[in-house]
Amino acid sequence: MRQFKKTVAFGLGGAALLLSGLVLAGGAEPMTGMMPANLRATAALRDAAGEVRGEAQFEQAGMGMRVTVQVSGLTPGMHGLHLHEFGRCTPGVDAAENKVVPFGGAGGHFDPGMSKNHDSPTAGNKYGHGGDLPMLEVGADGTGKVTFTTAKSSLTGANGVLNRSIVIHANMDDYKSDPSGKSGARERCGVIKRDNFSVRDYPLPSPQAFPEGVAYDAARGVIYTGSAATGSIYAINAQTGATSLFSEGGAKGRSTALGLKVDAQGRVWVAGGATGAINILSKDGAPVATLMTPPSPNPYLNDLIPTPDGSVYVTDSTRPVIWRVRDMQVEPWLNLAGTPIKYGPGINLNGIVASPDGKYLLSIQLNTGELWRIDTGTKVIKKVMGGLKNGDGLLLDGQTLYVARNADGLVSKVSLGADYGSGTLVMEEPLNGLRFPTTLVKVGGDVVVTQGQLDKLQGGIPETPFKLTRFKAF
């Protein structure tokens, strides 16, 4: 991702993580689609006793975010103001003090650029926390108000702050001392909630869930999701949200679970990532088969899709081949060498879907953002469109394609041509704040997306509980 270097504009109240080929850099990546109109959010600012003593308002302003904070009951003077990682205004351990403090549950400063450094509100996210904001000046009557615009954070995208928190500190901020500019105790906290927008979350029981794939069995009303960290598969009652362990990780060597699909027989198919394996489970969770792709360096089976003729097509993100399973046998169906799909470093072909008649496959190349159509009869490949970098899982609903844009924290909506050979990006939706969304599935008139947090899989502290999020198709 490119670093966005726009300077922060602010006033004072009247006076690179590399994971699976993905780079998370400071600054915002410019969006190319249409964002939701009037994207706004609000945080009720509470004191340690839980009483509301102010409010913060957020509004998307182009590539920047306009923030207005007003508060009462504070001591006169300058107060540090920061965005924090988690949407929890609860007591918790402050790592800087190594003790439980009010609002410690909000975690440390929001740091999308992985700078690990406290800096000024004008420093790029590569050099300082994305949550470093201008200070708030409080007058003699204990009230304060500040309005500013920042390009370090946003209501959408990789620097999105929805469902995170804003914290006011007791002292002024020196804009240099780690971790919080010597700004003292946390005195006010509010969770940033999008205005007039609702979703339903399905929490998962494991603190190591890291849900990557998702599938739906409409006949049984069950949503399945798999753990990229452990290989465990969970079953969720789509109506009640009750969750159970469907198949424990480690079964038949399944140490990871990426793409999931349910076939016409109700069996669950699991792409095994670097294991090079495809696991098939019965509707009761019992192992049916483990199919191995031929031994070769660096396998990475990422997603799969059944088609009406009984075939299952499987993407490999590191080996330039599309695999096919027929009659429980795996074959290298399409060698991509010499085709328009050029493999490079990182994650290549990822999510895959099929037209209802099975004539066409659509697959997204994560590292380039290119969407491809593949004719299953002729094997002719056509580029549908570009501009979908960090595209992960796909959901095809008629001529509408939904794309989970993992590192961008978005679901993109694409309108496809009648032959699936062209596409137009029409909407990019952050919902209520997505944490590395990976895959989607249709459930009735709704869509369910995983919040995989795979950017925290090899380091960092994920938000728990892990969850899937259900929303109205847009």
Side-chain angles (χ1 to χ4, degrees):
M1 298 171 64
R2 299 186 302 274
Q3 183 178 355
F4 182 57
K5 297 182 178 179
K6 183 176 179 181
T7 303
V8 179
F10 64 93
L12 295 179
L17 172 66
L18 183 64
L19 170 66
S20 297
L22 303 180
V23 179
L24 304 184
E29 180 78 3
M31 302 301 167
T32 56
M34 296 176 59
M35 299 307 301
N38 302 316
L39 188 57
R40 295 185 174 92
T42 303
L45 297 170
R46 300 178 185 274
D47 61 19
E51 183 179 352
V52 176
R53 305 295 295 274
E55 184 179 84
Q57 297 177 330
F58 305 80
E59 181 180 4
Q60 195 67 29
M63 287 308 303
M65 181 176 68
R66 184 178 298 111
V67 184
T68 298
V69 178
Q70 49 189 349
V71 69
S72 63
L74 291 175
T75 58
M78 306 303 293
H79 292 256
L81 182 64
H82 307 125
L83 299 170
H84 284 245
E85 180 76 13
F86 303 126
R88 295 193 294 261
C89 289
T90 57
V93 175
D94 184 341
E97 300 185 41
N98 197 29
K99 66 178 183 181
V100 175
V101 300
F103 310 130
H109 289 187
F110 178 46
D111 191 19
M114 302 300 291
S115 69
K116 304 185 188 303
N117 183 56
H118 184 67
D119 211 316
S120 78
T122 58
N125 287 355
K126 179 180 178 181
Y127 306 102
H129 301 143
D132 297 337
L133 299 179
M135 283 186 279
L136 170 73
E137 184 178 22
V138 174
D141 63 353
T143 66
K145 182 176 180 179
V146 63
T147 297
F148 55 88
T149 298
T150 176
K152 289 172 66 64
S153 52
S154 170
L155 289 177
T156 186
N159 300 328
V161 300
L162 289 172
N163 204 29
R164 302 192 192 277
S165 57
I166 184 169
V167 173
I168 301 174
H169 291 257
N171 304 326
M172 69 179 297
D173 189 337
D174 68 10
Y175 292 133
K176 61 182 181 181
S177 300
D178 288 325
S180 58
K182 296 184 178 179
S183 53
R186 306 177 183 197
E187 295 201 330
R188 299 287 187 272
C189 181
V191 178
I192 303 166
K193 295 291 187 181
R194 183 171 172 182
D195 294 349
N196 304 315
F197 192 85
S198 62
V199 297
R200 178 184 181 183
D201 290 330
Y202 295 110
L204 298 175
S206 170
Q208 289 295 314
F210 291 98
E212 208 281 346
V214 65
Y216 181 54
D217 185 339
R220 306 180 73 192
V222 174
I223 301 168
Y224 297 100
T225 191
S227 170
T230 68
S232 290
I233 311 293
Y234 298 94
I236 305 167
N237 184 300
Q239 182 174 0
T240 68
T243 301
S244 60
L245 182 63
F246 180 69
S247 178
E248 189 169 4
K252 294 291 184 179
R254 192 182 64 247
S255 58
T256 187
L258 301 184
L260 299 183
K261 291 295 187 296
V262 175
D263 67 13
Q265 300 176 49
R267 299 176 301 185
V268 179
W269 291 67
V270 186
T275 67
I278 302 162
N279 286 107
I280 307 164
L281 306 173
S282 74
K283 62 179 63 178
D284 299 317
V288 173
T290 297
L291 310 177
M292 299 299 301
T293 54
S296 61
N298 303 317
Y300 203 84
L301 304 187
N302 207 321
D303 201 8
L304 33 73
I305 187 69
T307 54
D309 68 352
S311 299
V312 176
Y313 295 91
V314 187
T315 58
D316 195 315
S317 295
T318 53
R319 298 178 293 184
V321 62
I322 294 176
W323 305 93
R324 183 173 68 174
V325 179
R326 297 197 74 165
D327 300 323
M328 290 298 174
Q329 300 293 319
V330 183
E331 62 175 348
W333 175 73
L334 179 56
N335 185 341
L336 298 172
T339 74
I341 302 176
K342 308 298 183 185
Y343 269 41
I347 299 297
N348 289 273
L349 288 189
N350 194 325
I352 188 170
V353 293
S355 60
D357 59 5
K359 180 179 179 181
Y360 297 117
L361 305 175
L362 293 172
S363 188
I364 186 77
Q365 191 168 356
L366 184 143
N367 53 1
T368 68
E370 295 170 318
L371 178 68
W372 301 96
R373 188 195 73 180
I374 305 160
D375 189 309
T376 56
T378 65
K379 300 185 181 180
V380 170
I381 297 173
K382 183 181 189 300
K383 180 178 174 179
V384 178
M385 63 181 296
L388 297 170
K389 195 166 184 180
N390 297 318
D392 198 327
L394 302 178
L395 166 63
L396 182 61
D397 182 23
Q399 302 307 126
T400 296
L401 183 72
Y402 294 95
V403 185
R405 304 272 298 280
N406 56 31
D408 295 323
L410 295 166
V411 173
S412 292
K413 179 181 179 180
V414 173
S415 178
L416 296 169
D419 65 351
Y420 307 96
S422 61
T424 302
L425 180 61
V426 295
M427 181 68 75
E428 292 183 324
E429 176 60 67
L431 306 184
N432 271 351
L434 289 169
R435 308 295 186 252
F436 211 88
T438 52
T439 321
L440 319 95
V441 71
K442 192 82 180 289
V443 178
D446 297 343
V447 176
V448 173
V449 60
T450 58
Q451 300 206 44
Q453 299 190 70
L454 301 191
D455 53 332
K456 305 293 179 64
L457 186 57
Q458 296 177 351
I461 301 173
E463 293 184 42
T464 54
F466 285 93
K467 59 189 177 183
L468 278 60
T469 296
R470 180 172 177 170
F471 60 97
K472 290 292 182 185
F474 58 86

